Amino acid sequence: MLQWIAFDADDTLWHNEILYAQAQDKLKDVLSEYIDSETVVDRLYKTEMKNLAHYGYGVKSFALSMIETAVDLTNDRITGSDIRRIMDIAKAMLASEVQLLSHVPDTIKLLSKSYDLMVITKGDLLDQQEKLARSGIREHFKYVEVVSSKTEDTYRAVLDRYGIEPQRFLMIGNSLPSDVLPVIAIGGKAVYIPYHLTWEHETVDNHQLQNNGYFELDHIGQLPSLLKQLTVQE
Amino acid sequence: MLQWIAFDADDTLWHNEILYAQAQDKLKDVLSEYIDSETVVDRLYKTEMKNLAHYGYGVKSFALSMIETAVDLTNDRITGSDIRRIMDIAKAMLASEVQLLSHVPDTIKLLSKSYDLMVITKGDLLDQQEKLARSGIREHFKYVEVVSSKTEDTYRAVLDRYGIEPQRFLMIGNSLPSDVLPVIAIGGKAVYIPYHLTWEHETVDNHQLQNNGYFELDHIGQLPSLLKQLTVQE
């Protein structure tokens, strides 16, 4: 009997990857007088991967990786005013309006009447809390967990902390390696809702999915009817 | 009857402010060919304060504020290689060894036998978790909470989450406004252990302390004997 439903935030509740894609376009623009845009995209990704273990996820990490990419690719010729433009890109990301995905407000409100809802998300602690506060749906979530990674251990720790049995726990998200596979592995249920943009780092080879049972939906608005089906089956 | 003891981390369990002071000295060095060091210190502090609400606490925020300060104070004349030096200052901070304060390992180990211990700290989520993992004392703490601010609401939420009654909760830390006053205000107990360096932003006017009862110790090694006295009184 399902009691807890946890949602990933970025690109599950609100648009996020689009902000990074737009920021990347602006970075290409800033660096266009120094270097071609393909090289910018390639080097930025490599810099982010190299820094991930030290910086973690989120806009501030991305900002530092953009600056590092700019310095590297221009062989230190980048100007102070171009560095300032890059910092402004990051500040605009932090200040940008929270754009909820379609069906999110209604679905969350509806589900909160029958289930205990949580958010489990990676990213900057403050940035994620601020986005949730500005989202207009904060009140429907009983707990909010900002975590530095989403592994089986992470989910086990969160469930332990609140005394939640895995079989009463359902995770919803747009990332198979972060939101789906580890939850299935510890005995929980998961719903995969793909987003049209997914960060390369967050994709997974198909063969990893064999023998793992999970649900897949086109959008979050289909969640209540999936839950009804599940209840009937029980 | 006390059951839970929570510790602040930076400058309570391990040295932290000294890292920022050293980083600031290195920044003065990088900028010495452009500007006098007093102006650097002053502007860096103002930039940090301006950015705090957007960036939050921690090394990445500090890195971005150092870069912004450098660009501002040099009127954009800062070179790419100097930007690189500033980023390296931040990376060195993240990679630096965790230096526990005197008496910390023995005291934590001893107290963990009689009490449930927690860490409640501000800062970068990943950075704080990494420092704790490298500290050698992680195993003694039942829970670790990285929070974006330490207000009465923050403490209330943490205590609620674990079902802890305030009168069974003691907070230990080096900041009166963050570790002591809000805890006293919600009915908990607090021990103030001053650190020889305290960030200007974290100091508090004396008059705010009137009528607030808390304990003050010179170092954490005195904590077990304070706890014994408290137990006798009960």
Side-chain angles (χ1 to χ4, degrees), chain A residues 51 53 55-56 60-61 68 71-72 76 80-81 84 87 91 94 125-126 129 145-148 161-162, chain B residues 51 53 55-56 60-61 68 71-72 76 80-81 84 87 91 94 125-126 129 145-148 161-162:
Chain A
N51 288 336
Y55 289 163
K60 285 180 291 183
S61 310
E68 186 173 332
V71 172
D72 284 350
D76 298 359
S81 66
R84 188 192 301 277
M87 286 191 297
K91 286 190 177 177
L94 288 173
L125 180 63
L126 181 67
Q129 289 175 339
E145 292 286 329
V146 183
V147 296
S148 55
R161 156 185 293 185
Y162 297 112
Chain B
N51 288 336
Y55 288 163
K60 286 180 291 184
S61 310
E68 185 172 333
V71 172
D72 284 350
D76 299 358
S81 66
R84 189 191 301 279
M87 287 191 296
K91 286 190 175 176
L94 288 173
L125 180 62
L126 182 66
Q129 288 175 339
E145 293 285 329
V146 183
V147 295
S148 55
R161 154 184 293 185
Y162 298 113

Side-chain angles (χ1 to χ4, degrees), chain A residues 143-156:
Chain A
Y143 297 119
V144 177
E145 292 286 329
V146 183
V147 296
S148 55
S149 63
K150 283 179 165 177
T151 63
E152 295 176 29
D153 283 347
T154 312
Y155 286 105
R156 251 189 230 106

Side-chain angles (χ1 to χ4, degrees), chain B residues 51-66:
Chain B
N51 288 336
L52 194 56
H54 313 289
Y55 288 163
Y57 291 85
V59 173
K60 286 180 291 184
S61 310
F62 184 65
L64 289 167
S65 289
M66 281 197 293

